[in-house]
Amino acid sequence: MTQGRLASAVPLTGCFGLPSPSDIADKAEDVASQAQELADTLSGVEWGKVSRLVVRDAQTGEVVRELTDQDTIEGAFDPLSDENGLAAEPDAGAEYAFELWQPETQKLGQDAADLDEVKVLEVTTYEGSPVVGLEVSPIGLRLYLTSQAAADSLRALAG
């Protein structure tokens, strides 16, 4: 008579560096949340309130150009409104930083003449890369998107 053996499957997800299903779900939820925050931020930019766009050389910090024409600024950022795919930070060096500034929101009792400017968004292009980095300054959110159209549109502002 042979003795039967009972085998049981023990999940070894933590072994071998494999993520657990709950880790994968958590990551997917984080990515979805970040993508939603980015979409909300980009749609929430009040282009009519943008006071200026400062273009800096990302390596030196030197101001390359400063723009105040609202239509030009909005047009350069327009390709970002169609993007929703997140990317990894590129290996390439940072090329240009594009800072969007607008007046701070007036608080009760504050005189309009006392309003400061606030950097609301910084977008970075990377040398030879279609990836752009976006940092929502007020909340410290940093994401990367792949968009050749956005990268090209922004680079055109620097030149």
Side-chain angles (χ1 to χ4, degrees):
M1 178 174 196
T2 39
Q3 253 182 332
R5 294 199 173 152
L6 182 59
S8 69
V10 178
L12 298 174
T13 314
C15 299
F16 311 114
L18 298 174
S20 71
S22 65
D23 289 344
I24 293 170
D26 289 346
K27 284 285 187 197
E29 192 174 305
D30 287 347
V31 168
S33 174
Q34 288 178 338
Q36 185 60 52
E37 282 184 65
L38 175 64
D40 291 346
T41 297
L42 290 175
S43 67
V45 171
E46 296 179 54
W47 296 103
K49 285 182 69 176
V50 171
S51 56
R52 64 193 171 108
L53 173 70
V54 177
V55 182
R56 295 184 184 277
D57 179 302
Q59 300 299 316
T60 66
E62 178 185 338
V63 174
V64 174
R65 189 171 180 201
E66 193 166 321
L67 296 121
T68 56
D69 181 69
Q70 303 302 304
D71 292 335
T72 302
I73 295 169
E74 186 175 355
F77 281 84
D78 190 52
L80 285 174
S81 64
D82 297 331
E83 298 300 327
N84 60 8
L86 298 177
E89 182 176 2
D91 292 334
E95 181 180 36
Y96 296 108
F98 301 84
E99 303 171 350
L100 275 177
W101 293 82
Q102 69 183 38
E104 69 178 325
T105 303
Q106 188 172 2
K107 295 160 190 73
L108 185 64
Q110 185 178 21
D111 189 82
D114 294 335
L115 295 178
D116 289 325
E117 282 187 316
V118 178
K119 181 169 64 168
V120 293
L121 181 67
E122 183 173 321
V123 180
T124 304
T125 57
Y126 297 87
E127 295 174 6
S129 176
V131 174
V132 293
L134 291 90
E135 181 177 350
V136 183
S137 306
I139 61 173
L141 175 67
R142 183 146 186 89
L143 301 170
Y144 300 91
L145 298 174
T146 299
S147 173
Q148 189 67 56
D152 291 345
S153 178
L154 291 167
R155 283 183 185 113
L157 289 179

